[in-house]
Amino acid sequence: MKKIFALTCVLVMMMASTASAAMNLKLGHAINEQDVFHTAALEMQKIVKAESKGELAITIYPNAKLGDERNLLESLKMGTVDMAIVTGGPVINFLPQFGVLDLPFLFVSPEHAYKVLDGKIGQKFFADMEKLGWKGLAYGERGFRNLTNSKHPVKTPADMKGLKIRLMQNPVYVDSFKALGANAVPMAWTETLTALQQGTIDGQENPINVIYSYNIQDSNKYLSITRHAYAPNIILMSMRTWKKLTPAQQKLIQKAANAGAALNRKIDNENEAKWLKELKAKGMQVIEKPDHKAFMDAVKPVYDKYAPKYGKDLIDEIRKAAPAK
């Protein structure tokens, strides 16, 4: 009887040990908890918890607790971070050809961007990322980017002359804003809010969801709906971690990432008008129809510079994917 009891105790302890040995996946992003990045991460966490039978768990680290986006990309390569949600912009520093997506005024609508990203072009980029140590899971959305500043309304490129504008650390963005006459200031997002508050920069550019989540109206009174670039976000996993998962676990992680990305896009599309209305109510002066033709004409030198690098055929293929009006 004692032997049976002892054997039972051992089995219980082994089962408890197995149950507690869930693989805990560290997921980092550089944005606050009010942002859609975090909402997407929470959706992924919920699905993995519900469906992994205790084998997997996701712990979320927002607010750049595991590093800014460039650092997160480095950490994914090394396997010190398991998962991350990052804006597409910094990827160009590791995968130069990804910069084609950052060309100004390339996309005409969210549907246009989704068709390209979810199709063979976006999947080719994911295949290229595997060589860098990243497993591309899904494209969420940062969105169409717009300009804010503290000095004056911007209706034409001439109004941008001399404005010190924070940009992502991305050469396509830098060249685009230089072509528009601005003083381009590449800077990590973690430093940007302080720089805006202190007046060391005049403005920044981001989608409406970021402008709203971070109360940019407190430092920048003027918003121009330039929609000068579309930025995806990317849900990534370290290839080192991916290879440790069973096929069933990989399938679950992919399912969770797809769900997080879809929710991210849905929230953006359903709420942009509401966010814009609330920014106006908080005192932001919004220029809803700047001179887009003048802006597009001003950035033609950017295409002249980058078309040979990315390939005119690829740029044309992306443009032709635009839905018929």
Side-chain angles (χ1 to χ4, degrees):
M1 192 74 182
K2 288 181 179 178
K3 286 183 179 180
I4 294 173
F5 178 74
L7 182 61
T8 302
C9 289
V10 169
L11 288 171
V12 169
M13 289 173 66
M14 286 175 64
M15 290 172 65
S17 175
T18 302
S20 65
M23 185 185 293
N24 186 24
L25 304 171
K26 293 191 291 184
L27 187 159
H29 67 77
I31 318 300
N32 66 19
E33 293 93 330
Q34 286 70 53
D35 192 86
V36 285
F37 276 37
H38 197 67
T39 307
L42 288 170
E43 180 73 3
M44 294 167 62
Q45 183 186 57
K46 180 181 77 174
I47 290 171
V48 166
K49 181 179 180 180
E51 300 186 24
S52 74
K53 300 175 184 176
E55 294 176 357
L56 299 174
I58 293 176
T59 302
I60 304 168
Y61 297 86
N63 292 302
K65 288 177 182 175
L66 300 181
D68 65 22
E69 292 190 329
R70 187 160 180 159
N71 288 331
L72 283 171
L73 291 169
E74 292 277 13
S75 297
L76 286 170
K77 291 176 72 170
M78 295 185 289
T80 54
V81 170
D82 300 302
M83 304 179 74
I85 305 178
V86 300
T87 312
V91 172
I92 190 174
N93 297 292
F94 304 87
L95 189 70
Q97 60 266 41
F98 198 77
V100 69
L101 301 174
D102 296 320
L103 287 170
F105 304 103
L106 180 64
F107 294 102
V108 299
S109 67
E111 293 73 26
H112 182 194
Y114 303 160
K115 186 176 179 183
V116 171
L117 293 167
D118 298 340
K120 65 178 184 179
I121 294 173
Q123 297 312 303
K124 171 66 166 60
F125 286 132
F126 277 172
D128 293 340
M129 288 177 191
E130 292 195 14
K131 300 163 195 168
L132 295 171
W134 310 330
K135 173 64 179 176
L137 295 170
Y139 293 100
E141 183 168 78
R142 185 74 291 178
F144 278 97
R145 304 179 76 89
N146 304 288
L147 176 71
T148 70
N149 84 95
S150 61
K151 298 297 185 183
H152 52 247
V154 171
K155 300 176 182 178
T156 70
D159 298 325
M160 292 182 64
K161 187 174 182 181
L163 287 177
K164 289 181 284 187
I165 304 297
R166 176 268 172 183
L167 309 169
M168 287 189 288
Q169 294 160 311
N170 177 313
V172 179
Y173 277 69
V174 172
D175 287 338
S176 297
F177 273 77
K178 284 181 178 176
L180 292 168
N183 182 354
V185 184
M187 182 184 293
W189 181 245
T190 48
E191 303 166 22
T192 301
L193 295 178
T194 300
L196 286 170
Q197 290 160 3
Q198 293 177 345
T200 52
I201 53 175
D202 300 318
Q204 59 87 57
E205 49 81 53
N206 253 307
I208 299 298
N209 52 41
V210 178
I211 295 166
Y212 176 79
S213 293
Y214 280 89
N215 294 307
I216 300 297
Q217 77 281 350
D218 290 346
S219 56
N220 279 191
K221 181 180 177 182
Y222 304 100
L223 165 61
S224 297
I225 307 298
T226 49
R227 294 173 74 83
H228 51 268
Y230 176 85
N233 68 39
I234 315 170
I235 301 174
L236 296 166
M237 176 170 257
S238 167
M239 281 300 296
R240 294 189 182 198
T241 304
W242 179 257
K243 289 175 180 177
K244 293 176 184 176
L245 303 179
T246 66
Q249 290 170 338
Q250 290 176 344
K251 187 176 180 181
L252 175 57
I253 290 294
Q254 185 64 64
K255 176 183 177 179
N258 290 343
L263 179 61
N264 177 176
R265 290 175 176 180
K266 182 174 184 283
I267 290 170
D268 280 353
N269 287 313
E270 290 180 354
N271 289 283
E272 185 170 282
K274 182 192 81 171
W275 291 329
L276 193 57
K277 184 177 179 181
E278 291 189 23
L279 287 169
K280 289 178 184 177
K282 291 177 180 178
M284 206 163 212
Q285 185 175 323
V286 180
I287 296 85
E288 298 202 39
K289 293 184 178 179
D291 188 342
H292 278 105
K293 184 179 184 306
F295 278 92
M296 291 172 77
D297 288 344
V299 298
K300 282 179 180 175
V302 179
Y303 279 84
D304 294 338
K305 177 177 179 177
Y306 285 97
K309 179 177 182 178
Y310 298 134
K312 186 177 182 300
D313 290 346
L314 177 58
I315 294 170
D316 288 344
E317 186 180 356
I318 292 171
R319 283 178 161 161
K320 286 175 184 174
K325 291 183 179 179

